[in-house]
Amino acid sequence: MRIARVIGSTIATIKNPRIEGTKLMLVQDTDESGKDLKSPPYAAIDLVDAGVGDLVLTCHGSAARQTHITKDTPTDAVINAVLDHLDVDGKRTFEKA
Amino acid sequence: MRIARVIGSTIATIKNPRIEGTKLMLVQDTDESGKDLKSPPYAAIDLVDAGVGDLVLTCHGSAARQTHITKDTPTDAVINAVLDHLDVDGKRTFEKA
Amino acid sequence: MRIARVIGSTIATIKNPRIEGTKLMLVQDTDESGKDLKSPPYAAIDLVDAGVGDLVLTCHGSAARQTHITKDTPTDAVINAVLDHLDVDGKRTFEKA
Amino acid sequence: MRIARVIGSTIATIKNPRIEGTKLMLVQDTDESGKDLKSPPYAAIDLVDAGVGDLVLTCHGSAARQTHITKDTPTDAVINAVLDHLDVDGKRTFEKA
Amino acid sequence: MRIARVIGSTIATIKNPRIEGTKLMLVQDTDESGKDLKSPPYAAIDLVDAGVGDLVLTCHGSAARQTHITKDTPTDAVINAVLDHLDVDGKRTFEKA
């Protein structure tokens, strides 16, 4: 799973019926301290009621459909955890505000 | 899912029978304001009647086959939403014209 | 699917029995005008009788096994269309010779 | 599978119920001598009781769900081996301390 | 499939039981002449009794589990062919020694 920050939301009136009603957030991959990487943001379906600013874990590929919300839907990315803290080599690199 | 812009279309007389009749568009990944990334364009099957110029979400891998149109077909990318707007950190970064 | 050009072929006497008899071509990803990208070439199983020089679409991952030829085989890339032309923003960027 | 070093751990109170109880480590991809690559760290579910500092193999995509611990869970990366040593062209490039 | 060279081997006493007994080689992606790319080496399960120095094809993702050896195992890369030669635009770019 990738470390990412929820940065915003997407609104799409026209979409595949199977993803109607899902909460499609915009996320930005970050490093272990929550600092943005230079990679482009992407959209992920939120499974854990994450809010803008939260550091989260995103899960990709067929893994993203292993939930009741996303089963059999054209979904390739979900948010499946809100991070409280990250520790690297014994030091806290991120702590939720 | 990735943010992308529909930039054109592909015509292929010779193709695998299972993708006959699908609408194969050319798309270009963009950032959250709809600005083109430097990555190469790719082809995606359109599920939502998108037009050239539309900002859309594309879905990749086995996720692309979770629809009636693409089930059991050699398809690895679909367009599954037309974006109305994108919001990042409370600011509108993209709005459909 | 990616835009690619067929650049050559591979010969392998020793291979997994499940891919015996397939036509394994070498392909190079290109941009929308058929110009080579700097990415490395790769091997793909040809489903559409493509020839060296043809611009094609390649399909990746589990999608590559959604055909009678590749079902249940260790295959992660196929050629599933020969391109006639590509149009970007209303202009023809590629036309088959 | 990728060569990676376990660099830390993640704590997430709010997560998808299907990954509750798993041990989510932070890992960093390395080269064949265990030297860190510049790629960002990521989270992987530990299947082999690895510790911080261990050089391991990580497995990605649907492969990550081919175990009793991760079956049917939204998981896209696991640690499935702790490396004792690596040999390249007849020379030992890594040996566990 | 990717063109790669077998560069070495991995030894791991502690590993997931489902990959016990497999032959885990280290491989390095190359170009069409067998020249190493700058990408990091990775581990792949050998299906074709390849040796160090051989140029091979590697297959990735769920494709890697479409064999009797790797079925239902946490495996995301296999070696499924030993290359005899590669031809690009009518010229031989690689020939096995």
Side-chain angles (χ1 to χ4, degrees):
Chain A
M1 296 157 216
R2 302 191 209 161
I3 309 166
R5 191 170 57 94
V6 181
I7 61 169
S9 56
T10 70
I11 300 292
T13 314
I14 303 168
K15 57 185 149 185
N16 186 279
R18 294 194 187 188
I19 57 169
E20 289 284 354
T22 59
K23 192 177 153 207
L24 259 173
M25 305 304 281
L26 272 185
V27 295
Q28 167 67 53
D29 286 340
T30 75
D31 68 11
E32 70 279 14
S33 63
K35 199 182 143 196
D36 290 1
L37 299 179
K38 290 196 184 297
S39 55
Y42 53 91
I45 290 180
D46 180 21
L47 303 176
V48 289
D49 213 14
V52 172
D54 280 343
L55 209 67
V56 297
L57 291 177
T58 63
C59 178
H60 298 257
S62 53
R65 294 192 305 281
Q66 308 298 315
T67 76
H68 293 301
I69 295 171
T70 55
K71 190 170 183 285
D72 299 329
T73 66
T75 301
D76 60 6
V78 292
I79 299 171
N80 64 1
V82 178
L83 290 166
D84 294 318
H85 49 83
L86 295 172
D87 293 310
V88 171
D89 292 328
K91 287 183 191 163
R92 187 133 306 175
T93 55
F94 166 79
E95 180 133 32
K96 197 178 172 178
Chain B
M1 297 156 216
R2 302 191 208 159
I3 309 166
R5 190 169 58 94
V6 181
I7 60 169
S9 56
T10 71
I11 300 292
T13 314
I14 303 168
K15 58 185 147 185
N16 186 279
R18 294 194 186 188
I19 56 168
E20 290 283 354
T22 59
K23 191 177 153 207
L24 259 172
M25 304 304 280
L26 272 186
V27 295
Q28 168 66 53
D29 287 339
T30 75
D31 68 10
E32 69 279 14
S33 62
K35 199 182 144 197
D36 290 1
L37 299 179
K38 289 197 185 298
S39 56
Y42 54 91
I45 290 180
D46 180 21
L47 302 176
V48 288
D49 213 14
V52 171
D54 280 343
L55 209 66
V56 297
L57 291 177
T58 63
C59 178
H60 297 258
S62 54
R65 293 192 304 283
Q66 308 299 316
T67 77
H68 293 300
I69 295 171
T70 55
K71 191 169 182 287
D72 298 330
T73 67
T75 301
D76 60 6
V78 292
I79 298 170
N80 63 1
V82 178
L83 290 166
D84 294 318
H85 50 82
L86 295 173
D87 293 310
V88 171
D89 292 328
K91 288 185 190 161
R92 187 133 307 175
T93 56
F94 166 79
E95 179 132 32
K96 197 179 172 178
Chain C
M1 296 157 218
R2 301 191 209 160
I3 309 166
R5 190 170 58 93
V6 181
I7 61 168
S9 55
T10 71
I11 300 292
T13 313
I14 302 168
K15 58 184 148 187
N16 186 281
R18 294 193 187 188
I19 56 168
E20 290 283 354
T22 60
K23 192 177 153 206
L24 258 173
M25 305 304 281
L26 272 185
V27 295
Q28 168 66 52
D29 286 340
T30 75
D31 68 10
E32 70 278 14
S33 63
K35 199 182 143 197
D36 291 0
L37 300 179
K38 290 198 184 298
S39 56
Y42 54 91
I45 289 181
D46 180 21
L47 302 176
V48 289
D49 213 15
V52 171
D54 280 344
L55 209 67
V56 297
L57 291 177
T58 63
C59 177
H60 297 258
S62 54
R65 293 192 305 283
Q66 308 298 317
T67 76
H68 293 300
I69 295 172
T70 54
K71 191 169 182 288
D72 298 329
T73 66
T75 301
D76 61 6
V78 292
I79 299 170
N80 63 1
V82 178
L83 290 166
D84 294 319
H85 50 82
L86 294 172
D87 293 310
V88 171
D89 292 328
K91 288 183 190 163
R92 187 133 307 175
T93 55
F94 166 78
E95 178 132 34
K96 198 179 172 177
Chain D
M1 296 157 217
R2 302 191 209 160
I3 309 166
R5 190 169 59 93
V6 181
I7 61 169
S9 56
T10 70
I11 300 292
T13 313
I14 303 168
K15 57 186 149 186
N16 186 279
R18 295 194 186 188
I19 56 168
E20 289 284 354
T22 59
K23 193 177 152 207
L24 259 173
M25 305 303 282
L26 272 186
V27 295
Q28 167 67 52
D29 286 339
T30 75
D31 69 11
E32 70 279 14
S33 62
K35 200 184 142 195
D36 290 1
L37 299 179
K38 290 196 184 298
S39 56
Y42 53 91
I45 289 181
D46 180 21
L47 303 176
V48 289
D49 213 14
V52 172
D54 280 343
L55 208 67
V56 298
L57 291 177
T58 63
C59 178
H60 298 258
S62 54
R65 294 192 304 281
Q66 308 298 315
T67 77
H68 293 300
I69 295 172
T70 55
K71 191 170 183 285
D72 298 329
T73 66
T75 301
D76 60 6
V78 292
I79 299 170
N80 63 1
V82 178
L83 290 166
D84 294 318
H85 50 83
L86 294 172
D87 292 310
V88 171
D89 292 329
K91 287 183 192 162
R92 187 132 308 174
T93 55
F94 167 78
E95 179 132 33
K96 197 179 172 177
Chain E
M1 296 158 218
R2 302 191 209 160
I3 309 167
R5 191 170 58 94
V6 181
I7 60 169
S9 56
T10 71
I11 300 292
T13 313
I14 303 167
K15 57 185 147 186
N16 186 278
R18 295 194 186 187
I19 57 169
E20 289 284 353
T22 60
K23 192 177 153 208
L24 259 173
M25 305 303 282
L26 272 186
V27 296
Q28 167 66 53
D29 287 340
T30 76
D31 68 11
E32 70 279 15
S33 62
K35 199 183 143 196
D36 290 1
L37 299 179
K38 289 197 185 299
S39 56
Y42 54 91
I45 289 181
D46 180 21
L47 302 176
V48 289
D49 213 15
V52 171
D54 280 343
L55 209 66
V56 298
L57 291 177
T58 63
C59 177
H60 297 258
S62 54
R65 294 192 304 283
Q66 308 297 316
T67 76
H68 293 300
I69 295 172
T70 55
K71 191 169 183 287
D72 298 329
T73 67
T75 300
D76 60 6
V78 292
I79 299 171
N80 64 1
V82 178
L83 290 166
D84 294 318
H85 51 82
L86 294 173
D87 293 311
V88 170
D89 292 328
K91 288 183 190 161
R92 187 133 308 174
T93 55
F94 167 77
E95 178 132 34
K96 197 179 172 178

